[in-house]
Amino acid sequence: MKIVLLTGSPHRNGTTSVLTDQFAAGVQAKGHEIFRFDTAFKNIHPCLGCDSCSMNGPCVHKDDIENELIMRLVDADLIALISPVYYFHVTAQLKTVVDRFYSRTGRISDKQAVLLAAAGSDNDLTMRSMRKFYATLCRYTRWQSRGIVLAPGCSAKEQILRTNFPKEAYELGFKL
């Protein structure tokens, strides 16, 4: 399978880096191909709602989404959304990429997907909003969810390493 990892964290070595690395290790152990796009470290611009793409590209922005990512998404079998939870949602960087899915809406539909997220809070509202966002996105794009790993109460790398969440991320990748 061709798998695109979309990471949203602006921290190169934080909690979601642990989830990302473990998920990728599981995927690679099965021989799948990975393309990783770290949204926080890319030149990306938000959708303008101009409809120049007519939902079938190209986008007016000639940034890293258009130049490096979008055709990888079109060709992908599975898209992994990996993000810390910022104010009940994925990070702004990852949300920017998700909004830009618009430029190829029909061509990125009918794929498989996974969600991996970590949050400092263990309040049930935190992950409820992430589940709802992911379920809505999967329904709209007709993505088949292959699994979710949510890691509440993990605001630092040291905390997540003391949990079973890294193992769950590995196993999710390995079972694909």
Side-chain angles (χ1 to χ4, degrees):
M1 275 198 295
K2 292 180 182 177
I3 298 173
V4 174
L5 307 178
L6 295 177
T7 69
S9 181
H11 302 280
R12 291 190 189 274
N13 201 22
T15 56
T16 56
S17 70
V18 172
L19 296 178
T20 303
D21 292 346
Q22 289 301 304
F23 177 75
V27 164
Q28 290 171 322
K30 295 294 283 212
H32 300 300
E33 178 184 327
I34 292 176
F35 175 75
R36 182 173 174 162
F37 191 84
D38 296 310
T39 63
F41 307 104
K42 296 293 187 174
N43 174 26
I44 62 175
H45 303 285
C47 180
L48 299 173
C50 66
D51 207 31
S52 290
C53 65
S54 300
M55 297 176 76
N56 196 25
C59 179
V60 296
H61 292 302
K62 301 305 176 215
D63 60 1
D64 292 342
I65 296 171
E66 187 67 21
N67 295 329
E68 296 177 24
L69 176 64
I70 202 71
M71 294 314 293
R72 298 251 191 186
L73 293 169
V74 168
D75 293 338
D77 299 301
L78 184 139
I79 298 170
L81 304 174
I82 308 165
S83 183
V85 180
Y86 284 8
Y87 229 81
F88 308 100
H89 211 291
V90 297
T91 61
Q93 296 90 335
L94 183 54
K95 181 64 167 75
T96 296
V97 171
V98 170
D99 288 349
R100 292 278 299 282
F101 288 175
Y102 180 82
S103 73
R104 303 299 196 290
T105 296
R107 296 174 69 193
I108 62 162
S109 295
D110 301 307
K111 304 215 178 267
Q112 298 174 63
V114 297
L115 171 67
L116 297 98
S121 173
D122 61 0
N123 183 311
D124 68 324
L125 293 174
T126 303
M127 293 306 186
R128 184 183 315 163
S129 61
M130 291 296 284
R131 285 184 185 279
K132 186 69 171 173
F133 163 72
Y134 178 66
T136 301
L137 183 61
C138 285
R139 182 175 175 192
Y140 177 73
T141 57
R142 297 184 312 272
W143 288 354
Q144 175 195 5
S145 178
R146 295 292 303 271
I148 298 173
V149 174
L150 301 178
C154 295
S155 60
K157 185 175 182 179
E158 297 74 30
Q159 287 175 304
I160 200 167
L161 289 172
R162 290 191 302 262
T163 70
N164 202 43
F165 299 127
K167 182 180 178 198
E168 289 178 29
Y170 178 88
E171 289 171 355
L172 178 59
F174 189 77
K175 77 176 186 179
L176 297 176

